[in-house]
């Protein structure tokens, strides 16, 4: 579950016992007094519903994962494209829990976003008392009817996140620019979010010229610099507020953006990078670190904290040579080679370098050999990973096949079904592309 790090506890408290059970309402509002207004609006009920106030995105995920609620009131803070995507995912996993959407300005909303979020009612803040009372009455009645359909005593067990795969840090690296690190980072993040229901954060560690935000068409309010400068001496506060400095893409991917000004990179120390990665690991299932083509101390910190390190090159002599030097340097820096995976990108049959010649230089083999594809540029211009915009393209299928091993077993089965559904037509003409090379 992207919004909450695994599956959510099912609602249905109104049908769990023979007597009247107080309904539980979760109110998300990161700035205002919506929870107090909702409490006043439902006080005439017998028994009076319990109102739980939530003000931070991470707390919302924790509440829904660990507890049960009958109604969710989604207020300011979730009335954005990223917020609607969170609500859509919540709705998919808890279809019996009505969602009431409370926003500051209904005129600015795209009705398609509201529909996809699955809200049963839409109200504009400030909400007149009588209007809010009627809205909450309808939502609670709907929750009760849904619970009655399930039948008294029906126990719906919480769906727990898959514990077979622990939290991971996956770093993308290369010794040459233009190898497609950001492209791979964003697509890997989408793959894990979509197919494994993992909560994923990309840290843009290219501190001078990071491109993650631009490639996803995000306009981040904060950057890694803002995070490091916030409560710098209080480790607990630093960790607690980590997610507030991330920007969430419409696909559910969270991004900690690179500094806006390249000169800010000099103020970020290796120790700061270590703290950031550790905090991200505490909040997310998978942390993907996008790095610059440099062996700076701050980047080496990321390498040493990584469970997997993807090293990329393109099919040209300078890039291949730099990969050799890069790998030997990592060995001298005592970076473990256990999790190193090689990726060859933009491989064209007429590049003048044969893949089999490259394999002789790297006997460990490549996890994937990805073709040059026009779909990639189109996806970047659209601000979405190519896996989302064109899942049946050769480039998408080869990325997915190389990343399938990162999924838990049950998700691999689901992915196989997804792949079959998105396979190109039997008689569709396709250009011949270089095939994936595995070790």
């Amino acid at each position: 579950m992207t919004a909450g790090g695994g599956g959510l506890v099912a609602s249905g408290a109104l049908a769990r016992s023979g007597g009247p059970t107080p309904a539980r309402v979760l109110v998300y509002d990161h700035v205002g007094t919506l929870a107090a207004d909702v409490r006043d609006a439902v006080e005439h009920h017998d028994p009076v519903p319990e109102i739980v106030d939530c003000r931070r995105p991470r707390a919302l995920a924790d509440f829904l994962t660990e507890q049960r609620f009958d109604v969710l009131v989604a207020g300011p803070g979730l009335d954005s494209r990223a917020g609607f995507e969170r609500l859509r995912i919540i709705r998919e996993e808890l279809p019996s829990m009505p969602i009431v959407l409370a926003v500051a300005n209904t005129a600015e909303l795209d009705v398609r976003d509201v529909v996809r979020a699955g809200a049963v009612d839409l109200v504009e803040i400030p909400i007149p008392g009588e209007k809010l009372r009627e809205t909450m009455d309808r939502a609670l009645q709907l929750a009760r009817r849904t619970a009655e359909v399930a039948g008294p005593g029906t126990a719906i067990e919480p769906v727990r996140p898959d514990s077979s795969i622990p939290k991971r840090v996956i770093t993308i690296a290369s010794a040459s620019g233009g190898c497609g690190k950001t492209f791979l980072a964003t697509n890997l993040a989408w793959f894990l979010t979509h197919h494994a229901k993992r909560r994923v954060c990309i840290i843009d560690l290219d501190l001078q010229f990071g491109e993650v935000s631009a490639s996803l068409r995000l306009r981040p309010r904060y950057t890694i610099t803002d995070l490091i400068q916030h409560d710098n001496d209080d480790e607990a506060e630093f960790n607690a507020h980590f997610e507030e400095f991330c920007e969430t893409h419409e696909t559910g991917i969270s991004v900690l953006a690179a500094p806006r000004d390249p000169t800010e990179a000099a103020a970020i120390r290796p120790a700061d990078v270590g703290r950031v990665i550790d905090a991200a690991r505490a909040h997310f299932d998978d942390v993907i670190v996008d790095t610059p083509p440099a062996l700076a101390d701050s980047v080496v910190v990321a390498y040493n904290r990584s469970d997997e390190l993807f090293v990329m090159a393109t099919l040209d002599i300078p890039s291949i040579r730099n990969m050799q030097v890069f790998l030997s340097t990592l060995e001298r820096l005592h970076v473990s080679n256990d999790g190193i995976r090689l990726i060859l990108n933009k491989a064209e049959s007429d590049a003048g370098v044969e893949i089999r010649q490259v394999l002789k230089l790297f006997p460990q083999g490549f996890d994937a050999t990805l073709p040059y594809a026009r779909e990639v540029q189109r996806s970047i211009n659209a601000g979405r990973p190519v896996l989302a915009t064109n899942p049946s393209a050769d480039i998408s299928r080869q990325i997915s096949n190389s990343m399938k091993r990162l999924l838990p077993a049950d998700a691999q089965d689901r992915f196989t079904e997804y792949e079959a559904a998105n396979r190109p037509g039997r008689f569709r003409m396709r250009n011949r592309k270089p095939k994936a090379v595995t070790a």
Side-chain angles (χ1 to χ4, degrees):
M1 155 72 186
T2 305
L8 300 181
V9 177
S11 64
L14 299 178
R16 288 178 184 267
S17 66
T21 304
R24 303 189 77 231
V25 179
L26 180 63
V27 181
Y28 180 87
D29 177 14
H30 75 307
V31 291
T33 60
L34 184 57
D37 294 340
V38 170
R39 191 172 287 110
D40 292 340
V42 300
E43 64 180 3
H44 62 286
H45 283 258
D46 184 19
V48 177
E50 178 186 356
I51 309 301
V52 178
D53 191 1
C54 175
R55 304 222 168 185
R56 290 168 45 203
R58 177 61 181 175
L60 174 66
D62 289 341
F63 276 128
L64 291 173
T65 301
E66 298 167 3
Q67 302 180 40
R68 56 87 184 160
F69 291 93
D70 300 288
V71 175
L72 170 63
V73 179
L78 289 176
D79 51 351
S80 62
R81 292 184 71 183
F84 288 137
E85 178 64 18
R86 284 176 180 263
L87 292 176
R88 182 190 65 77
I89 294 168
I90 290 171
R91 182 65 173 170
E92 283 183 357
E93 296 210 13
L94 296 179
S96 62
M97 181 180 68
I99 298 174
V100 174
L101 190 58
V103 301
N105 189 347
T106 57
E108 296 180 356
L109 293 181
D110 186 331
V111 67
R112 292 171 297 182
D113 290 333
V114 177
V115 171
R116 282 194 290 264
V120 299
D121 215 333
L122 176 66
V123 290
E124 188 171 77
I125 296 174
I127 314 167
E130 186 61 29
K131 171 68 173 175
L132 183 56
R133 176 172 174 165
E134 293 173 358
T135 299
M136 293 307 303
D137 284 350
R138 285 194 299 268
L140 289 166
Q141 288 170 8
L142 179 58
R144 182 174 296 278
R145 287 198 301 268
T146 302
E148 289 171 351
V149 169
T154 302
I156 307 177
E157 291 299 320
V159 180
R160 301 299 182 188
D162 190 301
S163 59
S164 63
I165 296 183
K167 296 188 174 190
R168 298 172 295 198
V169 175
I170 302 172
T171 297
I172 316 295
S174 75
S176 306
C179 289
K181 295 186 302 298
T182 301
F183 156 74
L184 184 65
T186 54
N187 277 277
L188 175 57
W190 185 91
F191 183 82
L192 294 171
T193 299
H194 187 78
H195 292 296
K197 307 302 180 187
R198 307 267 287 180
R199 299 191 71 238
V200 182
C201 177
I202 303 176
I203 298 175
D204 194 343
L205 205 57
D206 190 338
L207 300 177
Q208 290 187 311
F209 301 103
E211 297 179 348
V212 174
S213 295
S215 68
L216 293 175
R217 298 183 68 178
L218 292 173
R219 294 184 178 180
R221 295 166 296 169
Y222 306 110
T223 71
I224 187 173
T225 307
D226 299 314
L227 171 63
I228 290 170
Q229 292 174 349
H230 175 79
D231 292 319
N232 197 38
D233 297 327
D234 190 329
E235 200 67 27
E237 282 293 302
F238 181 88
N239 292 331
H241 292 282
F242 179 87
E243 285 197 61
E244 297 174 17
F245 290 85
C246 296
E247 197 72 21
T248 305
H249 187 253
E250 62 185 83
T251 56
I253 302 167
S254 293
V255 175
L256 181 62
R260 298 182 184 89
D261 187 338
T263 61
E264 295 176 10
I268 299 177
R269 304 165 300 170
D272 295 325
V273 173
R275 293 172 68 216
V276 168
I277 294 175
D278 291 344
R281 188 197 285 265
H283 283 264
F284 292 89
D285 300 316
D286 287 313
V287 179
I288 298 173
V289 185
D290 189 18
T291 63
L295 279 169
D297 289 343
S298 58
V299 176
V300 175
V301 168
Y303 297 161
N304 281 316
R305 274 175 164 73
S306 300
D307 300 289
E308 301 219 9
L309 175 60
F310 290 96
V311 181
M312 301 186 68
T314 51
L315 194 58
D316 59 79
I317 297 299
S319 185
I320 295 300
R321 178 185 176 279
N322 286 343
M323 176 180 270
Q324 285 183 294
V325 175
F326 183 82
L327 293 174
S328 63
T329 304
L330 291 182
E331 188 174 353
R332 292 198 301 272
L333 292 172
H334 305 292
V335 175
S336 173
N337 61 4
D338 291 343
I340 293 179
R341 307 278 182 166
L342 307 186
I343 305 287
L344 194 60
N345 194 23
K346 302 179 183 178
E348 298 182 83
S349 57
D350 58 352
V353 180
E354 293 188 11
I355 294 177
R356 60 185 178 184
Q357 294 176 324
V358 176
L359 278 174
K360 293 179 181 179
L361 300 175
F362 303 98
Q364 65 268 55
F366 289 81
D367 261 36
T369 300
L370 306 177
Y372 180 86
R374 288 176 294 180
E375 294 91 347
V376 171
Q377 191 60 49
R378 288 198 291 267
S379 73
I380 292 173
N381 291 337
R384 290 172 62 87
V386 71
L387 290 179
T389 60
N390 200 335
S392 63
D394 282 345
I395 182 73
S396 298
R397 290 187 292 110
Q398 294 197 36
I399 292 173
S400 297
N401 286 333
S402 67
M403 302 304 173
K404 182 177 178 179
R405 64 177 182 80
L406 296 171
L407 302 176
D410 60 336
Q412 290 190 25
D413 294 337
R414 292 194 300 270
F415 170 72
T416 300
E417 297 174 0
Y418 171 87
E419 189 179 33
N422 286 279
R423 187 171 295 128
R426 181 178 177 183
F427 299 105
R428 180 180 171 183
M429 297 296 293
R430 300 194 303 274
N431 294 329
R432 300 184 65 161
K433 303 289 183 181
K435 296 182 179 179
V437 179
T438 56

